[in-house]
Each structure stands twice: as structure tokens, then as C-alpha cells.
Amino acid sequence: MLPLLLLTYRRLQRRPSRYAVRYTNLDVLASVVESTRSWRRHAGLGLFLLALAALLVGFARPSMTRLADREEATIVLVIDVSGSMQAEDVEPTRLEAAQEVVREFLAGLPKRFQVGVVAFSETAEVAAPATEDRRLAIDAIDYLYPQRGTAIGDAIARGVEVARAAEPGTSGVDRPAAILFLSDGSQTEGVLLPMEGAARAKSFKIPVFTVALGTPEGIVEFTRFGSTRIIPVPPDKETMRQIAATTGGRFYEADSVGDLREAYDKMGSLVSKVERKQEVTFAFLAGGLVLLLGAAAAAAITFPRLP
């Protein structure tokens, strides 16, 4: 429709006049009549066409995708409590830093979010089931202590079990779920390999957001029978990255408390938001009406007048 209107307008503009104008003083005529080539003569039509386009789009009921606050979700915190979490490269220790930041994270979650806690070392244990009782999750975090071994694959699988066991939302359907997985080392124990655990999470469409905590220089000291043994405990960043990529989550590195806090802030923003479509018909209709008024005003101002 719009191209047809433009073509018709151009043909009318180029059509020669049927009448000759007899005026002896052309200079005076030029001073009172605007040039037909002036862009101002086309402003009214341009605004009218824009208005028509906006109205046509508005009548089609367009929508846009925007981020909105999620009302309900299940978050499972899976936290490494292996012996390497005693390392002091992240002050005061890796485990104490994680406990502090996770407490802050829990305080910022929407009240209707269910939170569960899984602690893992050589085995993966449910420290708190998924519930809206935030005090239960906080107490579970407070009681964590370093043990031995790292069963990454089993920990992810246990996190999936906790998420699937969560109560449905107020609408009666399962809440969307995500696993926030923190580890500072490589797998040393367990039945499932890390990527087998990731595959299980993927099969249930549960994204795993991973945090590799610690620095490559991290060490732990063990004293036994009067002798001290120093063991390097660098985080396994590549495995954490692969788990996140496989499940549709995100991977974060945390070399300090500040990095860890930033990682949980970003994860909180991701799991607390959802993409929703919003109709924007009114905006296009309102814009079309404003442009119509502008077109009328432009036509009134630029319409040629002779004295």
C-alpha cells in the first residue's frame, strides 16, 4: 500500500500543469511561491506515510521480548566441601569465603524461590531439601566443614534429584530449576564422571551454573605423625566450563572473595529473570496518531498560497 501511494504521488508531481501562468514579473512570483523541489513540500506526505505505517504495524498487534522478574523457581546450591576447601588463597579460606557469599546470595533471592543445598566430598549428600524456608538453607550452609575427596559427577546428579523433588509452584506445574555448582578441584571420587552428571542435568533441562573457586597457586598442608605435606590444589576450570556449556549454564572463575561475590550476583540475575513477550500495540497506535497530527500541521504550513 505504501509503495503504491508513493508512486501515485510522484506521478502527480511530475504531471505537467494544464494551465499556463501569465505573470510578467517572475522574480516577484519566485519570492512568494516556494520551489516545488523544496523538501518542505513533501514533509506532510512523509509524516502521513510514517503514521500510516505505524498504524498498520499497531493493528497487527506486535510484541517484544523483555526480561521480567521470575516469581517462582527452584535453586539447588551444590557446594564442594573437599579437603582442598581449606586452602587460604581465597581469604580466610575457600570454604569460609563460599559460606559468606552464599549467605548474601540467599538474602537477595525472591521469597517464593525454593532453595536446596547439596554438599559433596567423596560422596554427595543433601544438606537441605528444596524449600521456601530460607533458614533451613542458611543453617545447612553454616554447618559445612571440609572433608575428603571430590565426587563432581555424583554431586550434579544429586542436585538434579533435589530439584526434581521440589514441590510444584502455585499454578500446580513444576517450577523452573537451576543448579549453582561451586567446586575448587578435580574429580577424585564418585561413581559418575563429571560429564555424565552434566548429561543427566541436561536430560531434565536443568542448567548448571559453575564456579571454579581458587587460584592455580592454592595449596593445603596436612600434618600427620609429625611431618607436614604440602599439596597443590588448583581448580579444574576446564571441567567446570564444559559442564556449564553442556547444560546451558554459565561458567565463572573466582580467584578472590570479590570475584566470588560477583559470580553469585550474576547468577542471581540470570536465575531471577525470565523472558516474556509484551504486546506493544498501544505504542504504535499512539505514535501513529501523533504522526498524523504532525502531517496535518506540516500540510497546513507548507500548502502553497498566492497573494
Side-chain angles (χ1 to χ4, degrees):
M1 180 182 291
L2 296 181
L4 182 60
L5 289 174
L6 279 173
L7 181 60
T8 303
Y9 178 75
R10 293 296 297 172
R11 289 177 64 87
L12 291 174
Q13 287 289 310
R14 294 178 178 177
R15 188 177 62 179
S17 176
R18 295 175 56 187
Y19 304 99
V21 178
R22 296 180 179 179
Y23 202 91
T24 57
N25 195 336
L26 296 179
D27 291 336
V28 175
L29 180 62
S31 67
V32 296
V33 180
E34 290 185 87
S35 170
T36 58
R37 296 182 180 180
S38 172
W39 64 269
R40 294 181 180 86
R41 293 179 58 85
H42 309 295
L45 177 65
L47 290 174
F48 174 76
L49 292 177
L50 288 175
L52 186 59
L55 291 174
L56 289 174
V57 172
F59 287 130
R61 302 186 67 179
S63 62
M64 63 179 295
T65 301
R66 66 181 183 87
L67 287 178
D69 290 334
R70 193 190 296 275
E71 296 180 359
E72 297 179 320
T74 298
I75 306 300
V76 182
L77 300 168
V78 181
I79 300 176
D80 190 341
V81 292
S82 60
S84 56
M85 290 291 283
Q86 300 178 76
E88 299 178 355
D89 54 336
V90 180
E91 296 180 351
T93 67
R94 292 177 179 180
L95 181 57
E96 291 177 85
Q99 289 172 312
E100 176 185 349
V101 172
V102 170
R103 288 191 208 100
E104 296 172 0
F105 170 78
L106 290 174
L109 282 180
K111 292 182 179 180
R112 294 175 63 182
F113 274 37
Q114 293 186 352
V115 180
V117 181
V118 172
F120 72 97
S121 52
E122 61 183 353
T123 60
E125 304 294 338
V126 179
T131 174
E132 292 181 9
D133 184 356
R134 210 53 50 83
R135 187 71 253 171
L136 189 63
I138 292 174
D139 287 344
I141 297 297
D142 290 342
Y143 294 144
L144 297 179
Y145 61 92
Q147 301 177 51
R148 290 186 178 182
T150 306
I152 293 176
D154 292 355
I156 297 174
R158 185 56 59 89
V160 171
E161 292 176 4
V162 173
R164 298 192 65 222
E167 296 180 1
T170 55
S171 61
V173 299
D174 292 339
R175 303 167 187 245
I179 294 174
L180 275 53
F181 190 96
L182 181 146
S183 181
D184 73 334
S186 303
Q187 171 135 329
T188 60
E189 302 285 348
V191 176
L192 296 178
L193 295 175
M195 298 313 298
E196 291 175 332
R200 185 166 299 185
K202 181 181 179 181
S203 68
F204 291 105
K205 298 181 180 180
I206 299 177
V208 182
F209 298 82
T210 59
V211 180
L213 177 63
T215 66
E217 296 77 25
I219 60 170
V220 290
E221 297 183 4
F222 290 103
T223 301
R224 189 176 183 182
F225 304 121
S227 63
T228 299
R229 182 183 178 190
I230 297 177
I231 302 175
V233 285
D236 187 354
K237 297 180 181 181
E238 187 55 36
T239 297
M240 296 295 102
R241 184 181 285 106
Q242 291 176 2
I243 291 170
T246 298
T247 60
R250 298 281 183 91
F251 164 71
Y252 302 92
E253 299 181 38
D255 295 340
S256 65
V257 175
D259 291 342
L260 186 60
R261 184 172 287 111
E262 182 179 356
Y264 273 89
D265 285 343
K266 290 180 178 179
M267 289 189 292
S269 298
L270 290 173
V271 300
S272 299
K273 300 292 182 180
V274 61
E275 289 187 350
R276 289 179 180 166
K277 286 188 176 182
Q278 181 180 18
E279 191 172 309
V280 291
T281 299
F282 177 78
F284 280 94
L285 294 180
L289 292 176
V290 171
L291 289 170
L292 278 178
L293 293 175
I301 295 173
T302 61
F303 193 83
R305 297 183 179 88
L306 291 175

